[in-house]
Amino acid sequence: DLHYLAGFRSPHEWLRDPENCTHSSSFGPGVEYIPGCAHGYRYSAVEVTSAPALCAELAAHGVRKVTMVGDSFMRHLYVAFVTLLRGDWAAGSLIANHFPECEHRGQYSEKVCRSQINGRNSVCGGAVKVQLFYNIWEVPQEDELHSQDVVLWSFGMHPVNPHFPPDKVGAETSMRFVAPQCRGWKTLPSKVVWLSLHAGYRTPTGFEAFAHRNANSWRRAFTERMQSRLREECGVREFVDFLEPTAKAILQVPSAHELTYDGQHWGAEINLAKLLIVWPHLLAAADAGHDGAAVGRIG
């Protein structure tokens, strides 16, 4: 299902980096992760960094409030954001009275542990507030989020009608739902960062392929069309492509199959790399919002 990515657009690769990517890949007590590294490989688009350095950048760009809006893919990015910037790999994103099995790598699992995530948190020593709006279909609302410095947003892996799974949502159908809501945005166009879907490791089943569900080729087409429509209809300016970095991880990291537990959701290593890929876009959106550059709906 990766053949369509033969013509990669970016020169960046997952490369062996024994100097910087030295820690164990096991996610357990006493283990510290190096953001951007996965099983000894580093994605060349990102530099190895630390929580204090990232917190200093947030402060320098005036970022005090961040909201993440989306489904399980966004929830996992939220876990990466919070565990890294709180310095708590074990349970940084979890509610106080959580199930033990949800600690460490369990924070990225599905089923019971997704209900154990604390959707409102503070990081960087309390200087930054971050919240998760977790829903399979959610559109940022101006009246709720106008005070936020940055809004990270994504959706696309769930059908509009849960009772008819083959109804895989395309960009045009999505915009019939999204456009009436985003046309009222005033401050959000400059603050929103749209995140693409990532590549899946598992090949879709026959039914999924028939219904155009979970195929990486479908994800690429959806991403490209959504970017165009969000620019035109909603005035969104910042976009992040996760498809190519994650597809390259599948092709270039020999143990990539160990980085996902179900072939569709990625664990700590890939989500920490995704966070660093988002980072310059997050800072750019914060700057644009603070400069008062929003122009409302375009078109």
Side-chain angles (χ1 to χ4, degrees), residues 265-280:
H265 297 89
W266 294 100
E269 300 93 342
I270 296 298
N271 277 286
L272 287 165
K274 287 172 64 176
L275 178 62
L276 296 189
I277 293 169
V278 168
W279 203 256

Side-chain angles (χ1 to χ4, degrees), residues 175-247:
M175 289 309 299
R176 293 191 196 120
F177 172 75
V178 172
Q181 300 183 65
C182 75
R183 285 170 181 159
W185 288 356
K186 295 179 176 64
T187 67
L188 289 186
S190 59
K191 297 179 180 181
V192 166
V193 182
W194 170 262
L195 312 182
S196 84
L197 303 175
H198 58 230
Y201 186 89
R202 177 173 61 83
T203 300
T205 65
F207 173 78
E208 289 173 330
F210 169 77
H212 304 293
R213 298 195 66 206
N214 297 327
N216 288 318
S217 54
W218 181 91
R219 298 184 196 200
R220 170 60 74 192
F222 174 82
T223 294
E224 291 176 345
R225 294 200 305 271
M226 278 301 297
Q227 288 187 5
S228 176
R229 296 300 298 273
L230 287 170
R231 282 191 181 95
E232 178 184 349
E233 300 283 350
C234 305
V236 176
R237 302 167 182 181
E238 292 291 334
F239 298 89
V240 181
D241 180 14
F242 288 145
L243 272 161
E244 185 166 321
T246 48

Side-chain angles (χ1 to χ4, degrees), residues 250-261:
I250 295 170
L251 296 172
Q252 296 169 352
V253 180
S255 54
H257 63 284
E258 298 177 5
L259 302 174
T260 173
Y261 62 89

Side-chain angles (χ1 to χ4, degrees), residues 15 27 57 74-75 87-88 96 110 150 159 170 176 189-190 208-209 223 235 237 258 271 278 286 298:
L15 304 172
F27 201 2
E57 289 186 337
M74 185 65 77
R75 188 181 79 246
D88 183 359
E110 294 297 299
V150 181
R176 293 191 196 120
S190 59
E208 289 173 330
T223 294
R237 302 167 182 181
E258 298 177 5
N271 277 286
V278 168
I298 296 177

Side-chain angles (χ1 to χ4, degrees), residues 4-293:
Y4 76 99
L5 287 171
F8 285 121
R9 306 171 184 184
S10 166
H12 296 294
E13 311 280 346
W14 286 86
L15 304 172
R16 287 283 301 173
D17 189 351
E19 180 178 352
N20 291 304
C21 300
T22 56
H23 285 315
S24 166
S25 61
S26 300
F27 201 2
V31 171
E32 289 188 9
Y33 271 66
I34 299 178
C37 294
H39 290 195
Y41 286 73
R42 179 177 60 84
Y43 190 55
S44 61
V46 302
E47 298 295 332
V48 171
T49 186
S50 65
L54 294 175
C55 287
E57 289 186 337
L58 292 178
H61 289 263
V63 178
R64 296 176 297 276
K65 296 179 180 180
V66 177
T67 293
M68 300 185 179
V69 181
D71 55 20
S72 58
F73 289 2
M74 185 65 77
R75 188 181 79 246
H76 292 161
L77 190 68
Y78 172 85
V79 171
F81 187 98
V82 172
T83 55
L84 171 59
L85 298 184
R86 292 191 72 188
D88 183 359
W89 298 119
S93 70
L94 298 175
I95 60 176
N97 298 317
H98 56 264
F99 299 137
E101 61 265 30
C102 297
E103 293 187 355
H104 301 291
R105 190 173 291 278
Q107 294 171 97
Y108 293 90
S109 64
E110 294 297 299
K111 301 188 184 300
V112 66
C113 291
R114 60 188 171 189
S115 67
Q116 302 288 291
I117 301 300
N118 179 6
R120 293 181 181 270
N121 239 308
S122 61
V123 299
C124 299
V128 178
K129 307 297 182 185
V130 56
Q131 61 182 347
L132 172 67
F133 284 11
Y134 175 47
N135 199 321
I136 61 173
W137 277 97
E138 187 82 32
V139 178
Q141 301 297 313
E142 178 77 31
D143 58 347
E144 292 180 315
L145 300 178
H146 67 276
S147 65
Q148 299 297 300
D149 296 305
V150 181
V151 178
L152 305 183
W153 180 32
S154 181
F155 64 80
M157 285 304 294
H158 295 269
V160 173
N161 183 354
H163 301 295
F164 188 57
D167 179 26
K168 190 60 178 179
V169 180
E172 290 71 25
T173 304
S174 299
M175 289 309 299
R176 293 191 196 120
F177 172 75
V178 172
Q181 300 183 65
C182 75
R183 285 170 181 159
W185 288 356
K186 295 179 176 64
T187 67
L188 289 186
S190 59
K191 297 179 180 181
V192 166
V193 182
W194 170 262
L195 312 182
S196 84
L197 303 175
H198 58 230
Y201 186 89
R202 177 173 61 83
T203 300
T205 65
F207 173 78
E208 289 173 330
F210 169 77
H212 304 293
R213 298 195 66 206
N214 297 327
N216 288 318
S217 54
W218 181 91
R219 298 184 196 200
R220 170 60 74 192
F222 174 82
T223 294
E224 291 176 345
R225 294 200 305 271
M226 278 301 297
Q227 288 187 5
S228 176
R229 296 300 298 273
L230 287 170
R231 282 191 181 95
E232 178 184 349
E233 300 283 350
C234 305
V236 176
R237 302 167 182 181
E238 292 291 334
F239 298 89
V240 181
D241 180 14
F242 288 145
L243 272 161
E244 185 166 321
T246 48
K248 285 183 173 178
I250 295 170
L251 296 172
Q252 296 169 352
V253 180
S255 54
H257 63 284
E258 298 177 5
L259 302 174
T260 173
Y261 62 89
D262 64 358
Q264 299 298 343
H265 297 89
W266 294 100
E269 300 93 342
I270 296 298
N271 277 286
L272 287 165
K274 287 172 64 176
L275 178 62
L276 296 189
I277 293 169
V278 168
W279 203 256
H281 299 272
L282 183 156
L283 299 179
D287 291 344
H290 295 154
D291 289 343

